[in-house]
Every structure is written in structure tokens, then in C-alpha cells.
């Protein structure tokens, strides 16, 4: 089929092509170039040469683990662990030392206060006498209330908190009370004593018993806080 097509194409070119075109086609090519540049196979040869040349690839150095390297790693981690433990231990020791110093200072302050308190109590003979009278009166009032004898209790207490023995007891409370807890017990005692006098005056036996227990409990707590519990008779 190709032969037939070419045979039909030749008459077409010979009949339709102008004489100038036919002369150009029959004229030899006049270009000239160096053989190196015009050689069509040269780039292929160069490419082939480049593709054939194997570039050197650096080989990956293998990681060699020896007993010596393992020992060094273990020793390093152990040293760091000891260093961190040493820091934490030293910090804990500093905190403990601070705590010990604070505790020691607190003990010294408490001892100083206790000695001062003992000195005040030892020299407060008059105030201790006021308090001893208070103990006797509370004892008599308690016995009278226990016997439902409110008239005797009323005669011992007096009609109000303005009696001489109550005033003297408060003088002793003021001189010998130093801490807030002690002052709270003094206030509780005075409030309960006022209720006791009112209940006895009103001839209310049940309220009198409750008020008496409350006042006696507050006074006992106060003597315990101040250190007077063993120095007063009848408690």
C-alpha cells in the first residue's frame, strides 16, 4: 500500500511543483558545521557515559554497641541520678533544718511564757485568795441546789453580780488571764453565773442546775489553762 502511495505522489510533485522549488529540492545542502556540534549521537553518547558512571555513595557507618559504651551510658545515668537525689536530699535537709529551728524557737517562747506565768501566779497570793473564796461559794451553792434548797443558794450568791466576792474574782481573772482561750472561759463563767443568780432568784430549780454546771465547768477549764487547777482546794 505504501508503494502505491509513493508511486502516486511522485507524479503529483513533478507536475505541481514549480521549477524553482524543484531546483531547490535537487540542490545539495550548503550548511556546514563542525563535526562535534552537528553529530546527533554525541549527546546520547555523553548521556550514556554519565549514566554508566556510578557516583560513589558513602556507605552508612554501622552503629557499634560495645560493652564499654553500655557501661559508660549506665555509669553516666547513674551519676545523674545520684546528683538529682543529692539535690533533693539537700533541699529536704534545708527544709527540715528550718522546721527544727522554728520548732526550737516556739519551744523557747512557750517556756518563757510558762516561766513568766509561774512567776505571776507565785506572787499573786491575794488573787489566789479571791479565787479560793469563789471555790468555797460555788461548792456551797452546788450542795444547796442538789438539795433543792434555793433559799440557801440565793443567800450565798447574793442578789446580783455586783457582790464583793464576784468583783474580787474578776480582779483575779483579769490579772491571771493572758491567752484568748482563758478570756473566753472567763466570759462564759460570768454569763453562766448571771444566769445562775437569776434562776435561783426566780426559784427555777432546773435552770439553776443547768446554769450551775455551766459556770462550774467554765471555771474549771480556766484554772486548767492558767495552771491553777492544782493550787486551789476543793476542785
Amino acid at each position: 500500500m505504501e508503494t502505491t502511495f509513493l508511486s502516486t505522489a511522485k507524479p503529483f510533485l513533478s507536475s505541481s511543483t514549480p521549477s524553482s522549488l524543484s531546483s531547490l529540492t535537487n540542490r545539495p545542502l550548503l550548511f556546514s558545521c563542525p563535526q562535534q556540534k552537528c553529530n546527533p549521537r554525541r549527546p546520547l553518547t555523553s548521556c550514556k557515559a554519565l549514566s554508566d558512571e556510578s557516583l560513589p555513595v558513602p556507605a552508612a557507618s554501622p552503629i557499634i554497641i560495645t560493652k564499654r559504651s553500655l557501661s559508660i551510658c549506665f555509669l553516666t545515668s547513674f551519676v545523674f541520678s545520684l546528683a538529682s537525689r543529692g539535690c533533693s536530699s539537700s533541699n529536704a535537709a534545708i527544709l527540715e533544718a528550718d522546721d527544727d529551728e522554728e520548732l526550737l524557737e516556739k519551744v523557747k517562747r512557750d517556756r518563757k511564757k510558762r516561766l513568766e506565768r509561774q512567776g505571776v501566779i507565785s506572787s499573786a497570793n491575794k488573787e489566789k485568795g479571791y479565787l479560793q473564796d469563789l471555790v468555797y461559794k460555788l461548792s456551797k451553792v452546788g450542795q444547796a441546789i442538789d438539795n433543792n434548797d434555793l433559799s440557801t443558794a440565793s443567800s450565798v450568791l447574793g442578789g446580783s453580780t455586783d457582790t464583793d466576792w464576784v468583783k474580787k474574782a474578776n480582779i483575779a481573772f483579769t490579772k491571771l488571764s493572758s491567752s484568748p482561750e482563758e478570756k473566753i472561759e472567763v466570759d462564759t463563767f460570768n454569763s453562766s453565773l448571771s444566769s445562775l443568780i437569776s434562776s435561783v432568784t426566780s426559784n427555777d430549780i432546773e435552770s439553776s442546775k443547768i446554769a450551775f454546771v455551766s459556770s462550774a465547768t467554765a471555771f474549771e477549764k480556766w484554772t486548767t489553762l492558767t495552771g491553777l487547777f492544782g493550787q486551789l482546794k476543793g476542785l
Side-chain angles (χ1 to χ4, degrees), residues 28 33 62 145 196 207 211 214 220:
C33 61
I145 292 174
L196 175 61
S207 297
S214 178
E220 184 178 352

Side-chain angles (χ1 to χ4, degrees), residues 32-173:
S32 65
C33 61
Q35 187 175 1
Q36 292 179 355
K37 294 183 180 181
C38 294
N39 189 358
R41 296 185 62 85
R42 183 71 177 179
L44 294 176
T45 305
S46 300
C47 293
K48 183 178 180 181
L50 289 174
S51 62
D52 290 339
E53 292 176 1
S54 60
L55 296 176
V57 179
S61 59
I63 300 174
I64 301 174
I65 300 176
T66 62
K67 291 183 178 180
R68 183 173 181 273
S69 61
L70 287 175
S71 300
I72 292 173
C73 292
F74 176 76
L75 181 60
T76 303
S77 61
F78 181 70
V79 169
F80 278 116
S81 175
L82 289 179
S84 62
R85 290 180 182 177
C87 291
S88 61
S89 299
S90 60
N91 293 333
I94 292 172
L95 293 176
E96 290 179 359
D98 293 339
D99 293 339
D100 292 341
E101 290 180 1
E102 292 179 0
L103 182 60
L104 183 60
E105 291 297 327
K106 185 178 183 301
V107 170
K108 290 180 178 179
R109 290 193 300 268
D110 294 341
R111 183 174 181 273
K112 183 179 179 180
K113 290 180 180 179
R114 186 169 61 254
L115 292 175
E116 291 176 353
R117 170 63 62 85
Q118 290 176 356
V120 171
I121 292 175
S122 298
S123 62
N125 293 323
K126 183 173 63 174
E127 286 76 14
K128 286 190 289 185
Y130 296 156
L131 295 174
Q132 189 64 64
D133 186 46
L134 173 61
V135 173
Y136 289 151
K137 289 187 179 299
L138 288 178
S139 179
K140 290 180 180 180
V141 170
Q143 290 175 2
I145 292 174
D146 191 47
N147 295 326
N148 294 330
D149 187 2
L150 295 183
S151 60
T152 301
S154 179
S155 64
V156 174
L157 290 171
S160 68
T161 56
D162 292 332
T163 55
D164 185 64
W165 67 273
V166 175
K167 290 180 180 179
K168 289 180 178 179
N170 277 285
I171 291 173
F173 287 150

Side-chain angles (χ1 to χ4, degrees), residues 176-188:
L176 299 177
S177 298
S178 58
S179 66
E181 293 81 4
E182 295 167 1
K183 295 177 181 180
I184 289 174
E185 297 302 330
V186 170
D187 293 338
T188 303

Side-chain angles (χ1 to χ4, degrees), residues 185 189 214-225 229 235:
E185 297 302 330
F189 171 79
S214 178
S215 59
T217 302
F219 179 69
E220 184 178 352
K221 287 182 178 179
W222 179 83
T223 56
T224 302
L225 291 172
F229 183 79
L235 290 177

Side-chain angles (χ1 to χ4, degrees), residues 4-20:
T4 307
F5 178 78
L6 291 175
S7 62
T8 55
K10 285 183 179 180
F12 177 77
L13 289 173
S14 60
S15 60
S16 61
T17 302
S19 59
S20 61

